[in-house]
Amino acid sequence: MTQPDASAAPVFSFYYIAIDTEAGVTPEQFERFVQEKGVHIPCYPGWNWTLLRGLRGERAGQYLMLFEIQSAAQRDLYLTAEGNKTPLARQFWHERPEALDILGQWKRYATFSERPTLYTDYRLLAENTRSDVPRGPRYQARAGQEPVARVIGIHNLALREDVEAHTFETFIAENHHRIEDYPDWKFHLLKGERGNRLDQYVVMMEIASLQALDVFYPEPDIATDQAALFAQAHRDTKQMYEEWKQLASFSGSPQIYTDYLSVAQSLS
């Protein structure tokens, strides 16, 4: 199998955010601040972030900043392998003093996506390009309507004993086209490559809305009749998942996972 250029692959970075509950900060206060002011903190070129709140699973009620970065090469312009700012990044912030003021306000509510915050950088290995979930905002306020608020499921995986990473990744590269996602769901497989909390692989499911999640899984790990009917209609996808399980764990219990709701997204 020809290996793609890793430096050109999109990067997803997860930063584990904690609000300052000892200072009396509430989730409502933090989210309101981020939606009104925090979203104006600028991003490096080719970067954007979404603030997520855990709905269910390991980190229910806790926050995660999800950065989507155009490529590893674009990430490396601004962050070193150790997670430190590069000279170009320091210049970026030096030229934006107004952003530093908002950032200072953010830190009175919660931690931010910088060391020593725990984080993992993941490289995109595969995604379902035939999913009906379009590119677009993960969170967007809409006057007079409910906001766009996508659900992001993060499911940690582990290889089976004696299975090499190359074997699993080759299987995914050659078979992920067999995946048919539920309507309004989109599959991604990510590989951890650096960070101070380095997880090996995760399945990231991007779901158009909470309602789209509940159609198939209104409760953790309890599928609806619609999910069963979908599986019956897409038997090759089900077979592919069974082959996957011979190499690695699969998403959902008993593996560690969290389903998050998008609550804010960067504007620049």
Side-chain angles (χ1 to χ4, degrees), residues 25-122:
V25 174
T26 66
E28 294 78 14
Q29 290 171 334
F30 175 53
E31 291 178 25
R32 184 165 57 250
F33 164 78
V34 176
Q35 291 166 358
E36 294 176 356
K37 293 186 177 182
V39 292
H40 296 285
I41 296 173
C43 293
Y44 301 128
W47 296 47
N48 71 79
W49 57 259
T50 307
L51 180 67
L52 309 174
R53 178 186 0 105
L55 281 173
R56 59 197 190 190
E58 179 197 23
R59 302 192 71 251
Q62 300 182 61
Y63 292 94
L64 186 81
M65 284 184 80
L66 166 62
F67 282 82
E68 183 173 359
I69 307 170
Q70 191 175 71
S71 66
Q74 192 70 13
R75 174 202 58 195
D76 294 347
L77 290 175
Y78 298 96
L79 285 183
T80 69
E82 295 74 32
N84 297 316
K85 295 181 181 69
T86 66
L88 186 61
R90 296 183 188 282
Q91 178 184 344
F92 178 92
W93 293 110
H94 179 73
E95 294 172 351
R96 294 164 174 81
E98 70 288 348
L100 294 176
D101 178 64
I102 301 174
L103 183 55
Q105 295 178 55
W106 178 304
K107 292 177 181 178
R108 291 198 286 271
Y109 289 89
T111 57
F112 191 67
S113 54
E114 59 187 14
R115 294 181 64 182
T117 296
L118 293 176
Y119 77 98
T120 306
D121 282 355
Y122 294 92

Side-chain angles (χ1 to χ4, degrees), residues 201-253:
Y201 298 100
V202 299
V203 167
M204 186 178 87
M205 296 300 303
E206 184 162 358
I207 305 169
S209 65
L210 183 57
Q211 292 75 18
L213 169 65
D214 288 346
V215 167
F216 299 100
Y217 284 92
E219 298 180 56
D221 302 305
I222 299 178
T224 62
D225 291 343
Q226 289 95 321
L229 290 171
F230 188 91
Q232 291 172 13
H234 299 87
R235 294 187 180 278
D236 189 54
T237 296
K238 178 69 173 175
Q239 177 60 34
M240 184 268 189
Y241 291 159
E242 293 303 317
E243 295 167 18
W244 171 327
K245 292 174 187 177
Q246 301 306 306
L247 302 173
S249 59
F250 197 64
S251 59
S253 293

Side-chain angles (χ1 to χ4, degrees), residues 174-230:
E174 294 177 350
N175 290 277
H176 74 273
H177 68 277
R178 297 164 63 189
I179 293 175
E180 291 286 348
D181 284 317
Y182 298 132
D184 293 325
W185 291 47
K186 183 174 182 179
F187 160 88
H188 307 72
L189 181 67
L190 312 179
K191 179 178 182 177
E193 59 178 10
R194 71 188 201 187
N196 52 20
R197 171 179 164 162
L198 186 58
D199 293 317
Q200 191 171 20
Y201 298 100
V202 299
V203 167
M204 186 178 87
M205 296 300 303
E206 184 162 358
I207 305 169
S209 65
L210 183 57
Q211 292 75 18
L213 169 65
D214 288 346
V215 167
F216 299 100
Y217 284 92
E219 298 180 56
D221 302 305
I222 299 178
T224 62
D225 291 343
Q226 289 95 321
L229 290 171
F230 188 91

Side-chain angles (χ1 to χ4, degrees), residues 56-59 154-156 220-221 252-253 255-259:
R56 59 197 190 190
E58 179 197 23
R59 302 192 71 251
I154 306 296
H155 297 247
N156 295 74
D221 302 305
S253 293
Q255 300 303 315
I256 294 173
Y257 77 94
T258 305
D259 290 336

